[in-house]
Amino acid sequence: MSKKNQVSWVKPAEPSFLRKFKSDVGYKEGPTIDTKRQEMPTVDDDSDGSDRDDEKPQVVVLKKGDLTEEEVLKIKQDVKDDDDEDDAPADGKIVFRKPLKRSSEKFKGITASSSKKKKQEEKKTESQQKKVKNNSLLSFG
């Protein structure tokens, strides 16, 4: 083995004035390289995405059209089934779909106008006002 692989570092002893100062202040050593290498304790597997019974929302039916708890469970199951169908195909190819067309009903109240259109409309209203001239009125224009 070469000497490059045998390089090591030894932490020097801490001076007494630093030890005294740290003990007076109550300093605690931070994480070291060795703490990074330690195995983290495993947590209970909550990654399944389902709520526990005590964490589920409470279902309250106030009106006739409200969903009951059974209907909600049925809808959740349907959504899970739809997600399973949308998975990638077995051959690994990416499948592209055409985007759905937006309905114009959503944007019915939204109108956009450019500055050119505004200027043209202003000119039209001004020209209409000029045509209304009355000869009996005095004008200083």
Side-chain angles (χ1 to χ4, degrees):
M1 283 175 57
S2 66
K3 290 186 179 184
K4 286 185 181 181
N5 294 338
Q6 297 176 359
V7 175
S8 63
W9 179 75
V10 178
K11 186 174 181 179
E14 192 171 22
S16 62
F17 72 94
L18 282 179
R19 261 186 272 130
K20 182 179 181 284
F21 182 74
K22 286 181 180 179
S23 65
D24 292 345
V25 174
Y27 176 79
K28 294 180 181 178
E29 284 291 327
T32 63
I33 298 294
D34 295 331
T35 56
K36 287 185 175 184
R37 293 184 182 135
Q38 292 176 352
E39 291 286 329
M40 296 298 290
T42 58
V43 184
D44 294 338
D45 189 23
D46 283 342
S47 62
D48 59 359
S50 64
D51 295 330
R52 286 190 255 153
D53 290 335
D54 59 340
E55 293 179 351
K56 287 186 180 179
Q58 184 177 4
V59 178
V60 178
V61 179
L62 297 175
K63 300 175 187 171
K64 186 177 182 181
D66 292 345
L67 295 176
T68 62
E69 188 173 0
E70 293 82 22
E71 291 172 339
V72 171
L73 293 174
K74 187 177 181 182
I75 292 171
K76 279 187 178 182
Q77 188 65 34
D78 292 343
V79 169
K80 284 183 183 180
D81 292 341
D82 290 343
D83 289 343
D84 293 341
E85 294 172 5
D86 292 340
D87 289 341
D91 58 355
K93 291 184 180 179
I94 298 174
V95 178
F96 292 99
R97 296 181 186 157
K98 287 188 176 182
L100 300 173
K101 291 185 178 181
R102 295 181 183 171
S103 63
S104 60
E105 294 172 6
K106 267 188 180 179
F107 305 106
K108 213 173 202 179
I110 300 173
T111 57
S113 59
S114 65
S115 59
K116 283 186 179 180
K117 286 184 181 179
K118 288 180 184 177
K119 288 179 183 177
Q120 288 175 353
E121 289 174 6
E122 289 175 7
K123 288 181 181 178
K124 287 181 183 177
T125 56
E126 288 175 11
S127 64
Q128 289 175 354
Q129 289 174 352
K130 288 181 182 177
K131 290 180 183 176
V132 182
K133 281 190 179 180
N134 192 347
N135 291 337
S136 64
L137 297 176
L138 297 175
S139 64
F140 301 98

